[in-house]
Amino acid sequence: MSTDTQVPGGSERDSADLARFGYKQELKRSLGLFSSFAVAFSYISPSTGIFTLFALGLTTIGGVFIWTWPVVALGQFIVALNFAEVSSHYPVAGSVFQWTKYLANRHYSWFNGWIYLFAGILTVTAVVATLPLALIPALNGLGWHSLNATSLHTQLVVALITLAVITILNIYGVRLVALINNTGVVFEILGMFVFALVLLAFHNHQGIHVVTNSAGLPVNGSTFLAAMFMSLFVIYGFDTASTLSEETKDPRRAAPKAVLYSVIGAFIIGGVFLLGTLIAIPNMNTAIKNSWGPANIIQANFSSAFATIYLLVVSAAIFVCCLSILAATIRLCFGMSRDNQLPVSGVLSKVFPGLHTPVWACIVVAALSAIPFIQYSGAATIAIAATGMIYLSYFLGNIVIMRARARGWPRTSAPFKLGRWGILVNIVALVYGGAMLINFAWPRAASNPKPNQTNGLLNFHIDFLNKIPILWTVVTFIVLVGIIYYLIAGRRKAFAPVTTPPEDDPVLQQPAGGAEAAA
């Protein structure tokens, strides 16, 4: 990969390119290809998702659940190919919201952006709630034995402290975030890979046949789809490289590469780690019975000192994942506010000159991410709604891109292009995304439980809501709030003019009436 260097005059060229989309360069353009890749890889963060939901896959179909990893990775890589081409055409902050803005109409892009915004907010919550699962056992190993890793109260305190710290770091600028993030990614890649090799070489309790060992659990279409949830929770967020396009050097070339590299890197590193972790399980039946996660397996194989070092490395990886997800969600909030599409948009879109960051967007996104902690039900429960909504926004984005392709888009060339393969890639992405949405929405205790199936962890205090699957309730609530706001105020707001550079494809968006038509 290239370093964070660029030819003289590159920054001016990128700023001029952004101006042709109607936007002024306000964010600091300081990310190169590696930094862009690192931010996207950190959002995916194999260690984070695996620590969150490893137990779900293991207790559903045993070691066989590792086969969900390549299936999901391939599906998401196809989606990433589609997004990479679009990001090469539209290098502006906001990812899915921006793409649908250029390729669909105002109403559609607003709702897709609204859903994606709250999906990002919930993902921030889920990931900061994951950090305690690795950090608390690590602190125990350092002598802080008063911390109880299974206590939801302790996990909540650590999660809230994490949220406050990453908010402050994001306020102080993307360059600081990138510096921490790049270091963390190196540690995550080396740490996960090296430790996985150590497990494979010196702690092989199960043998390679563990990948076909279900420990007596039934393996069929239904259980395999449920076990996929861990892999589905891990491999998304690759579009973060596109979301930070306005802070990336030469984004038309760098962002598509970073999108694809992040998926490939996560697949390789995560796959090796999963295999090493499964092979190192001392007793499969015990691990399934007690819902073991990676922390339990590490502690069962290594000395206290060695296990503590590894858990600290994983904790660092999860921390930078938190940083990246918050950064991406803040940029989406900023992008929508700059187009006057959110409540108090003028405040949320304000960039503080000295910091080059939208400070109020940072604070508001963090505050909204803290709301689910009012009744903390664990990282896995929060991840259900976060992941389902991300895939919904991806699917809605792919529909618009497919519609644009049917109308002849793209007619002009961009640095990254699929050419005649574009329509086929888009169709496969839609089929895969639609199938996964059905999988997410399917009511089952393992991946979309009702609150009354969570052993008291979640209680909406309304009887009929406690009998409805969690994902259904969360999506319905967020969509209804969005509809109410949009009907009362959103549709009356002036919509920013949608323009593209003269040599690019013309805007496919159709006026939706009202303020937009006036604009």
Side-chain angles (χ1 to χ4, degrees), residues 246-311:
E246 292 183 30
E247 291 151 282
T248 302
K249 302 171 185 177
D250 196 11
R252 288 182 183 262
R253 291 176 173 80
K257 292 178 183 178
V259 166
L260 300 178
Y261 291 169
S262 65
V263 178
I264 295 170
F267 167 66
I268 295 171
I269 301 299
V272 173
F273 179 72
L274 275 175
L275 180 60
T277 306
L278 285 172
I279 276 180
I281 295 174
N283 185 291
M284 182 66 76
N285 291 325
T286 300
I288 291 174
K289 179 181 178 181
N290 296 312
S291 299
W292 276 22
N296 304 102
I297 298 168
I298 291 164
Q299 291 171 326
N301 283 280
F302 296 121
S303 65
S304 177
F306 203 65
T308 299
I309 293 172
Y310 185 65
L311 289 170

Side-chain angles (χ1 to χ4, degrees), residues 18 21 23 86-87 89-105 108-110 112-113 116 242-243 245-246 331-339 341 397 400-401 495-500 507 509:
L18 179 63
F21 286 93
Y23 298 118
V86 186
S87 66
H89 282 270
Y90 308 114
V92 288
S95 177
V96 176
F97 164 70
Q98 292 287 8
W99 304 336
T100 51
K101 184 184 78 175
Y102 288 104
L103 299 177
N105 60 54
Y108 194 98
S109 63
W110 187 88
N112 201 13
Y116 197 38
S242 304
T243 299
S245 285
E246 292 183 30
R331 270 58 185 181
L332 174 60
C333 179
F334 167 76
M336 293 187 70
S337 299
R338 185 175 55 182
D339 283 351
Q341 292 305 292
V400 167
I401 298 169
F495 195 64
V498 184
T499 61
T500 56
V507 175
Q509 183 193 123

Side-chain angles (χ1 to χ4, degrees), residues 371-382:
I371 291 176
F373 288 129
I374 293 174
Q375 186 183 332
Y376 181 53
S377 54
T381 304
I382 301 169

Side-chain angles (χ1 to χ4, degrees), residues 449-498:
K450 303 170 185 176
N452 60 17
Q453 295 175 318
T454 62
N455 297 320
L457 290 177
L458 184 63
N459 185 352
F460 288 127
H461 303 289
I462 300 175
D463 187 56
F464 84 92
L465 287 181
N466 286 332
K467 297 176 181 177
I468 299 175
I470 293 170
L471 181 60
W472 298 7
T473 301
V474 173
V475 172
T476 301
F477 175 77
I478 289 174
V479 169
L480 283 177
V481 170
I483 290 173
I484 292 170
Y485 166 73
Y486 193 73
L487 291 177
I488 293 175
R491 63 177 178 157
R492 304 180 190 280
K493 287 189 171 188
F495 195 64
V498 184

Side-chain angles (χ1 to χ4, degrees), residues 75-388:
Q76 291 297 79
F77 185 74
I78 292 171
V79 174
L81 282 170
N82 208 35
F83 286 179
E85 182 170 33
V86 186
S87 66
S88 194
H89 282 270
Y90 308 114
V92 288
S95 177
V96 176
F97 164 70
Q98 292 287 8
W99 304 336
T100 51
K101 184 184 78 175
Y102 288 104
L103 299 177
N105 60 54
R106 171 187 182 165
H107 305 314
Y108 194 98
S109 63
W110 187 88
F111 274 102
N112 201 13
W114 178 264
I115 291 169
Y116 197 38
L117 176 62
F118 282 93
I121 288 169
L122 286 171
T123 302
V124 172
T125 311
V127 175
V128 297
T130 298
L131 181 60
L133 303 181
L135 183 59
I136 295 175
L139 294 177
N140 289 160
L142 293 174
W144 293 26
H145 299 297
S146 60
L147 296 176
N148 183 355
T150 61
S151 167
L152 287 182
H153 175 72
T154 305
Q155 292 177 20
L156 174 61
V157 171
V158 174
L160 288 173
I161 292 172
T162 303
L163 183 58
V165 172
I166 63 174
T167 302
I168 293 170
L169 290 173
N170 268 284
I171 285 173
Y172 277 92
V174 72
R175 186 60 186 167
L176 176 60
V177 171
L179 177 62
I180 298 171
N181 191 73
N182 291 355
T183 306
V185 164
V186 172
F187 274 104
E188 177 169 14
I189 292 174
L190 293 178
M192 290 188 72
F193 194 75
V194 171
F195 273 86
L197 293 179
V198 170
L199 289 172
L200 288 167
F202 303 107
H203 299 275
N204 188 344
H205 300 296
Q206 296 293 326
I208 193 65
H209 67 274
V210 70
V211 300
T212 60
N213 179 14
S214 69
L217 295 169
V219 179
N220 51 48
S222 177
T223 57
F224 189 86
L225 288 170
M228 288 178 74
F229 194 72
M230 186 215 76
S231 300
L232 291 166
F233 179 61
V234 177
I235 309 177
Y236 70 78
F238 39 81
D239 57 302
T240 303
S242 304
T243 299
L244 271 65
S245 285
E246 292 183 30
E247 291 151 282
T248 302
K249 302 171 185 177
D250 196 11
R252 288 182 183 262
R253 291 176 173 80
K257 292 178 183 178
V259 166
L260 300 178
Y261 291 169
S262 65
V263 178
I264 295 170
F267 167 66
I268 295 171
I269 301 299
V272 173
F273 179 72
L274 275 175
L275 180 60
T277 306
L278 285 172
I279 276 180
I281 295 174
N283 185 291
M284 182 66 76
N285 291 325
T286 300
I288 291 174
K289 179 181 178 181
N290 296 312
S291 299
W292 276 22
N296 304 102
I297 298 168
I298 291 164
Q299 291 171 326
N301 283 280
F302 296 121
S303 65
S304 177
F306 203 65
T308 299
I309 293 172
Y310 185 65
L311 289 170
L312 286 172
V313 170
V314 172
S315 298
I318 297 174
F319 180 78
V320 298
C321 175
C322 298
L323 269 178
S324 297
I325 294 173
L326 182 59
T329 308
I330 289 167
R331 270 58 185 181
L332 174 60
C333 179
F334 167 76
M336 293 187 70
S337 299
R338 185 175 55 182
D339 283 351
N340 195 31
Q341 292 305 292
L342 292 177
V344 294
S345 288
V347 174
L348 294 175
S349 62
K350 180 176 175 56
V351 176
F352 283 58
L355 298 170
H356 296 283
T357 53
V359 174
W360 285 111
C362 295
I363 294 171
V364 168
V365 169
L368 290 172
S369 299
I371 291 176
F373 288 129
I374 293 174
Q375 186 183 332
Y376 181 53
S377 54
T381 304
I382 301 169
I384 292 168
T387 314

